[in-house]
Amino acid sequence: KTYNVAILGATGAVGQEMMNVLAERDFPLNKLRLLASKRSVGKTYQYKDQVIACEEATPDSFEGMDIVLGAVENDIAEQLLPHAVKAGAVVIDNSSAYRLDDNVPLVVPEVNPQDIQKNNGIIANPNCSTIIALVAINKLHEYATVNSIIASTYQAVSGAGVPGLNELNTQVTQVMNDEKVEPQVFPYQIAFNLIPQIGGFDEMGYSSEEMKMQNEGRKILHHPELNVTCTCVRVPVMRSHSESLTLFFDKEIDVEKAKELLANADGVKLVDDPNNKQYPMPLDTSDQDLVYVGRIRKDLTQNNNKSLTLWCCGDQVRKGAATNAVQIAIEYIKQNA
Ligand code: 2RA
């Protein structure tokens, strides 16, 4: 069986990566429709041996589509994706518009693939930093139940799409040439800087990005008691997010057991030999789909063997967005074959 697939937001960083991953994984495609804004109409892209032109995304763009991959911001997702559902497609949406909607499953295929079946036409792709964290901790959680997490994230500029990538590139050149830096995408200069803000702040002083790990983690793990104190920082790295996670468990788990579990965990590459300078780094995780996990060690704030700290990195554009969405599509057609 082959499928008609549309990518809504085909010209953005995530939309482009969705095309790459569909091709790499040889998705059983009958037709691929590339949908974008009016200004991109006619822009062509190579998909395997085909040249495909972008079409304007309108409410009628989804006729005949089986699967729609959403790679647009919330406002456009809410405006157009209901039309895709009405046209009979199943939508896998990377925006945050529907992630916490009770009628919409929120899925990391390595963690909760069974939730795909609960869809009513839309399946939500979690936030990139949530995906990377949950892939890293999934097998540890299964074994010893994670109840609390203290997380610090070091998020690549690709999280702000092509404009974010371009801004870092431009600013590095400007700084090296002693030219004036005028931030457009980020609130301050990002080159040679760290910005502890991603999204707006709530009344507790948490950013919207920081609350996602707790809110989305509770839904994906079916663990409403999960508590997460998260600090999200934008860093001058191109396309991989890094995260420091301190995990507080229900039962004892030591470093050796954690390494054994992670060595066999879906979607994880254990890179943990610090004495030989082997640990996850964003340059190593870019352009591939595994979440690298390392620096696993006992948490020194507790003396009960029920907490560990670790470091992980993952490609934000791929596993953090495009690959996770395509993996959901592949799992969906498998479950409905
Ligand atoms: C970011 N996770 O990194 C957000 C949106 N992709 O900017």
Side-chain angles (χ1 to χ4, degrees), residues 205-239:
Y206 281 82
S207 68
S208 53
E209 188 78 357
E210 289 163 349
M211 291 311 298
K212 288 175 185 174
M213 199 174 291
Q214 175 169 284
N215 296 335
E216 296 177 17
R218 286 176 171 175
K219 181 168 177 179
I220 296 163
L221 296 176
H222 301 281
H223 188 16
E225 295 80 40
L226 173 70
N227 294 318
V228 182
T229 290
C230 190
T231 302
C232 292
V233 181
R234 186 72 71 193
V235 299
V237 165
M238 292 306 271
R239 58 177 288 165

Side-chain angles (χ1 to χ4, degrees), residues 4 37 62 102 126 160 163 167 174 188 200 223 269 308 311 317:
N4 296 331
S37 65
F62 308 103
D102 288 340
E167 180 135 312
Q174 287 169 334
Y188 297 98
H223 188 16
K269 183 176 181 181
L308 294 170
W311 171 259
V317 186

Side-chain angles (χ1 to χ4, degrees), residues 314-333:
D315 185 303
Q316 180 270 331
V317 186
R318 288 184 66 107
K319 184 52 190 172
T323 305
N324 199 74
V326 172
Q327 284 174 310
I328 291 172
I330 292 168
E331 184 62 30
Y332 171 81
I333 62 176

Side-chain angles (χ1 to χ4, degrees), residues 77-253:
E78 287 169 316
Q79 188 194 331
L80 290 177
L81 293 180
H83 293 282
V85 175
K86 228 178 275 154
V90 69
V91 172
I92 298 155
D93 177 28
N94 191 52
S95 85
S96 60
Y98 301 100
R99 287 178 184 157
L100 301 183
D101 183 325
D102 288 340
N103 296 315
V104 174
L106 182 64
V107 176
V108 179
E110 292 85 350
V111 180
N112 64 327
Q114 71 284 0
D115 287 353
I116 289 173
Q117 287 295 39
K118 298 175 187 167
N119 82 83
N120 297 295
I122 298 180
I123 302 163
N125 211 36
N127 189 46
C128 37
S129 44
T130 304
I131 293 172
I132 291 164
L134 293 193
V135 169
I137 73 167
N138 180 41
K139 289 302 177 194
L140 307 183
H141 174 65
E142 267 182 15
Y143 174 78
T145 307
V146 174
N147 288 322
S148 306
I149 303 172
I150 294 176
S152 294
T153 71
Y154 308 78
Q155 302 192 206
V157 294
S158 59
V162 170
L165 292 160
N166 292 341
E167 180 135 312
L168 177 55
N169 268 323
T170 305
Q171 288 185 3
V172 168
T173 308
Q174 287 169 334
V175 169
M176 302 314 271
N177 297 340
D178 277 334
E179 293 163 10
K180 184 171 171 17
V181 172
E182 295 178 87
Q184 309 287 324
V185 175
F186 304 110
Y188 297 98
Q189 173 182 320
I190 184 61
F192 310 102
N193 193 17
L194 301 179
I195 303 172
Q197 175 175 7
I198 301 177
F201 291 102
D202 67 17
E203 64 291 343
M204 292 191 297
Y206 281 82
S207 68
S208 53
E209 188 78 357
E210 289 163 349
M211 291 311 298
K212 288 175 185 174
M213 199 174 291
Q214 175 169 284
N215 296 335
E216 296 177 17
R218 286 176 171 175
K219 181 168 177 179
I220 296 163
L221 296 176
H222 301 281
H223 188 16
E225 295 80 40
L226 173 70
N227 294 318
V228 182
T229 290
C230 190
T231 302
C232 292
V233 181
R234 186 72 71 193
V235 299
V237 165
M238 292 306 271
R239 58 177 288 165
S240 279
H241 286 353
S242 305
E243 302 185 13
S244 171
L245 303 174
T246 298
L247 309 168
F248 300 89
F249 297 92
D250 237 7
K251 72 179 197 183
E252 291 199 349
I253 175 171

Side-chain angles (χ1 to χ4, degrees), residues 239-276:
R239 58 177 288 165
S240 279
H241 286 353
S242 305
E243 302 185 13
S244 171
L245 303 174
T246 298
L247 309 168
F248 300 89
F249 297 92
D250 237 7
K251 72 179 197 183
E252 291 199 349
I253 175 171
D254 62 20
V255 171
E256 284 325 302
K257 182 63 183 173
K259 286 187 174 185
E260 177 199 313
L261 291 166
L262 288 165
N264 303 300
D266 287 349
V268 167
K269 183 176 181 181
L270 180 63
V271 183
D272 195 17
D273 184 5
N275 293 323
N276 289 307

